[in-house]
Amino acid sequence: MKPRLVSVLLAALLGTLSSGPVAAQTAEPAWTVAGRQGLVRQVIVPTALAKDEAAYQRQIAQLCGADETCFLNFYTNSTGAEVALPLPDAIANEATATWRRSMKNGARLFTWSCRLQVPDRPCF
């Protein structure tokens, strides 16, 4: 096989590997951030992911820098209400979870909303 053809085939193979399933798994779109009230950001969760803790952890990693204080309140929007701050009651009544990380206090806390009835987990 000619060296030029080998180079082209090798480049094509490497390109396929780098854009394969691993890349697709990490390219999750960010959830809608309705806005911020003080330090707390209000985040809209896709209804289908409301009880998926791994999905929350991926979003927390996207929304919060590794070494920063970060407060997030999560909500679903099953009625399709217009997203605005302050949150309309239709969204505010659909709290799903909170995330609190205080670098000053060294505290990290993920808490579910009791309305989701996640078994064996503390809730608010």
Side-chain angles (χ1 to χ4, degrees):
M1 201 175 263
K2 295 184 178 186
R4 171 84 175 122
L5 182 57
V6 171
S7 296
V8 169
L9 290 173
L10 183 57
L13 177 61
L14 291 174
T16 300
L17 291 175
S18 67
S19 64
V22 173
Q25 290 173 4
T26 59
E28 183 174 333
W31 294 346
T32 300
V33 176
R36 181 185 295 257
Q37 293 176 303
L39 292 175
V40 182
R41 283 181 277 176
Q42 316 302 324
V43 182
I44 308 302
V45 179
T47 304
L49 298 175
K51 291 185 179 183
D52 184 346
E53 187 169 357
Y56 285 89
Q57 295 306 323
R58 290 189 299 271
Q59 291 298 312
I60 290 166
Q62 285 185 30
L63 293 167
C64 300
D67 295 323
E68 70 180 17
T69 294
C70 187
F71 298 159
L72 304 172
N73 288 350
F74 295 97
Y75 304 85
T76 52
N77 183 8
S78 65
T79 64
E82 184 177 338
V83 176
L85 282 184
L87 292 174
D89 288 345
I91 298 174
N93 291 334
E94 293 186 5
T96 60
T98 62
W99 167 250
R100 302 290 184 260
R101 179 175 59 212
S102 170
M103 300 311 287
K104 179 180 177 182
N105 297 322
R108 296 171 186 243
L109 181 63
F110 180 85
T111 309
W112 290 105
S113 169
C114 296
R115 80 176 185 85
L116 292 180
Q117 300 177 351
V118 177
D120 302 320
R121 297 299 301 266
C123 64
F124 63 91

